[in-house]
């Protein structure tokens, strides 16, 4: 069974979705540790309550990005992860860090990348007047919120939406597609090859877009 390490910065609802999928028998991984860059991240407590080892490496204690990333990598690597899962980990990562985990570093982002990288994605989608919004799981490259796309979920933007309602609709889809992507990796049905996503033949034609849902 593959070892995964989950990195968080805050509430950790995507982490919870991964734990729930594992507990339901739908995600055959060992969640070796949850690590936060913030000591007060609410998700750390949630992880501990689930019996998962939880650590923090406080980025404020380091002079620069490289020093923090080196300490973070040292903390991660004691768990020998096959996969590192960024789940609301709100730090820009150095190129050296990303290269170290090349092909085994996933991120989830609350937009249909390459639209709306960065922050405030839902408000920006509303401001632009797009009719379809969503979320993306991708392999991480050194560019922020960028990299080969594994799976996306689309949701409609309704006239009645505000940032809160749209964020909630997208978050429900995040909680569907992240366990799905991690499961594919765990089952050796997903890999990065020459900078492109390769899915197992039985998935390649169909499975990587989740259709719109109104709720
Ligand atoms: C999620 O919406 C995730 O997609 C986003 O942060 C939120 C974390 O929520 N990540 C990014 O914006 C990365 N650029 P969570 O802590 O409840 O999972």
């Amino acid at each position: 069974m593959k070892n995964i390490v989950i990195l968080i910065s805050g509430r950790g609802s995507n982490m919870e979705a991964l734990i729930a999928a594992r507990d339901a028998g739908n995600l055959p991984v060992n969640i070796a540790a949850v690590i936060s860059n913030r000591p007060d991240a609410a998700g750390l407590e949630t992880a501990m309550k689930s019996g998962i080892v939880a650590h923090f490496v406080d980025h404020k204690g380091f002079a620069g990005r490289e020093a923090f990333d080196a300490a973070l990598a040292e903390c991660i690597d004691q768990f020998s992860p096959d996969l590192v899962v960024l789940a609301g980990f709100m730090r820009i990562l150095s190129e050296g860090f990303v290269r170290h985990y090349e092909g085994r570093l996933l991120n989830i982002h609350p937009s249909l990348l390459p639209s709306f990288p960065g922050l405030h994605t839902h408000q920006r989608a509303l401001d632009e007047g797009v009719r379809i919004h969503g979320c993306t799981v991708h392999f991480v490259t050194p560019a922020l919120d960028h990299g080969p796309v594994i799976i996306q979920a689309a949701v409609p933007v309704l006239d009645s939406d505000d940032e809160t309602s749209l964020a909630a609709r997208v978050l429900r889809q995040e909680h569907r597609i992240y366990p799905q992507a991690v499961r594919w990796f765990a089952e050796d049905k997903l890999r990065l090859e020459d900078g492109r996503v390769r899915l197992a033949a039985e998935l390649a034609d169909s499975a990587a877009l989740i259709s719109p849902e109104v709720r």
Side-chain angles (χ1 to χ4, degrees), residues 10-15 87-90 107-110 118 145 171 174:
R11 76 188 156 183
S13 73
N14 276 288
M15 173 203 75
F89 187 69
M90 305 305 273
N107 183 43
I108 189 158
H109 183 72
D145 297 326
L171 192 64
E174 294 188 44

Side-chain angles (χ1 to χ4, degrees), residues 27-93:
L27 187 56
V29 296
N30 172 42
I31 304 177
V34 170
I35 303 170
S36 169
N37 64 307
R38 299 177 58 106
D40 59 351
L44 286 176
E45 178 130 9
T46 313
M48 283 188 287
K49 280 189 186 145
S50 298
I52 297 168
V53 173
H55 284 294
F56 65 83
V57 181
D58 188 351
H59 64 273
K60 292 199 185 102
F62 295 86
R65 193 176 301 289
E66 310 281 335
F68 168 71
D69 283 5
L72 180 63
E74 197 179 321
C75 185
I76 294 170
D77 286 347
Q78 33 166 336
F79 300 101
S80 306
D82 299 292
L83 183 68
V84 176
V85 178
L86 307 181
F89 187 69
M90 305 305 273
R91 293 276 308 172
I92 295 173
L93 294 163

Side-chain angles (χ1 to χ4, degrees), residues 11 14 36 42 57 73 84 95 98 122 125 136 163 166 171 173 177 188 192 204 215:
R11 76 188 156 183
N14 276 288
S36 169
V57 181
V84 176
E95 177 151 4
V98 172
H122 309 302
T136 303
E163 189 179 9
L166 186 55
L171 192 64
Q173 300 307 316
I177 66 172
D188 288 322
L192 187 66
R215 246 203 278 159

